[in-house]
């Protein structure tokens, strides 16, 4: 990539983070281009779709999130690791308003730019659930798809201004539904 193209790419992502924090996932691509001081065509050359832009924005954070799951697994009992993972997911979801809706739509669409990120979250969640089920601390009647659906619903709920203040309580409700016995 040419130096000026690389500079534009970085600037677009920097501005996109700010605009999305202000306006959520429906932020205007034109506004992002204008505020990044590039033309819309330049923005679209780098990011032909909204999903492609979100993938670029989310990739680093989702990689860090899935690595966090590895650390949680190695240092905690399976039920604690799963509970902590769900809390980490909610914090991630809250940092990108509207992204959960996009991820829910993309998780079964291999053509989506967000598919790989969704697959990573899904497989990590399924693994943590399976570990907890093997220990006997999670419901045996659910699978990774069920957990991904619950986490997506929870991420959507805490993204709503009316539910955001109850985020911790909602996380507690979901984790106490998934996990058996010890609640925390």
């Amino acid at each position: 990539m040419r130096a000026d193209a690389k500079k534009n790419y970085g600037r677009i992502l920097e501005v996109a983070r700010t605009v999305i924090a202000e306006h959520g996932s429906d932020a205007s691509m034109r506004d992002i281009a204008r505020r990044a001081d590039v033309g819309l065509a330049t923005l679209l050359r780098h990011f032909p779709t909204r999903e492609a832009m979100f993938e670029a924005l989310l990739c680093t954070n989702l990689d860090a999130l899935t690595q966090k799951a590895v650390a949680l697994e190695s240092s905690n009992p399976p039920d604690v690791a799963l509970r902590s993972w769900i809390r980490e997911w909610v914090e991630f979801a809250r940092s990108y308003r509207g992204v959960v809706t996009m991820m829910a739509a993309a998780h079964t669409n291999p053509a989506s730019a967000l598919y790989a990120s969704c697959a990573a979250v899904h497989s990590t969640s399924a693994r943590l659930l399976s570990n907890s089920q093997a220990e006997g601390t999670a419901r045996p009647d659910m699978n990774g798809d069920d957990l991904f659906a619950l986490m997506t619903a929870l991420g959507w709920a805490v993204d709503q201004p009316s539910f955001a203040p109850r985020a911790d309580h909602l996380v507690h409700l979901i984790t106490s539904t998934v996990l058996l016995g010890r609640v925390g």
Side-chain angles (χ1 to χ4, degrees), residues 19 26-35 39-40 43-44 47-51 53-54:
V19 174
D26 291 330
S28 163
M29 299 285 271
R30 285 186 190 284
D31 187 33
I32 293 168
R34 183 185 53 74
R35 288 170 68 171
L40 184 60
L43 182 142
L44 293 174
F47 307 106
T49 66
R50 183 179 303 281
E51 282 187 338
M53 182 181 299
F54 268 93

Side-chain angles (χ1 to χ4, degrees), residues 1-182:
M1 188 181 296
R2 293 183 346 240
D4 62 331
K6 195 173 196 174
K7 180 181 172 189
N8 286 342
Y9 182 89
R11 178 75 181 136
I12 291 166
L13 286 178
E14 179 184 320
V15 169
R17 271 189 183 81
T18 302
V19 174
I20 290 165
E22 293 169 4
H23 302 286
S25 63
D26 291 330
S28 163
M29 299 285 271
R30 285 186 190 284
D31 187 33
I32 293 168
R34 183 185 53 74
R35 288 170 68 171
D37 202 25
V38 299
L40 184 60
T42 299
L43 182 142
L44 293 174
R45 260 193 311 280
H46 289 290
F47 307 106
T49 66
R50 183 179 303 281
E51 282 187 338
M53 182 181 299
F54 268 93
E55 176 61 20
L57 285 169
L58 300 177
C59 186
T60 302
N61 289 4
L62 283 172
D63 287 349
L65 186 64
T66 55
Q67 288 305 309
K68 179 90 174 193
V70 172
L72 290 169
E73 280 180 287
S74 65
S75 60
N76 294 287
D79 60 330
V80 174
L82 180 57
R83 182 179 300 107
S84 298
W85 166 253
I86 293 170
R87 286 186 189 287
E88 292 289 333
W89 158 255
V90 167
E91 287 308 309
F92 164 80
R94 291 175 86 179
S95 68
Y96 286 97
R97 289 184 18 219
V99 75
V100 173
T101 301
M102 292 175 74
M103 290 181 77
H107 96 279
T108 58
N109 179 5
S112 168
L114 289 173
Y115 179 78
S117 295
C118 293
V121 170
H122 187 285
S123 66
T124 299
S125 301
R127 185 181 72 242
L128 291 170
L129 174 64
S130 180
N131 293 346
S132 202
Q133 288 170 326
E135 182 190 58
T137 57
R139 297 174 64 116
D141 63 340
M142 64 183 300
N143 62 28
D145 291 337
D146 299 329
L147 182 58
F148 187 78
L150 287 172
M151 289 172 57
T152 300
L154 182 58
W156 177 86
V158 301
D159 201 21
Q160 306 307 306
S162 59
F163 296 126
R166 299 188 50 78
D168 288 339
H169 180 67
L170 294 171
V171 168
H172 174 75
L173 288 173
I174 293 295
T175 57
S176 62
T177 297
V178 172
L179 296 168
L180 308 170
R182 195 168 63 204

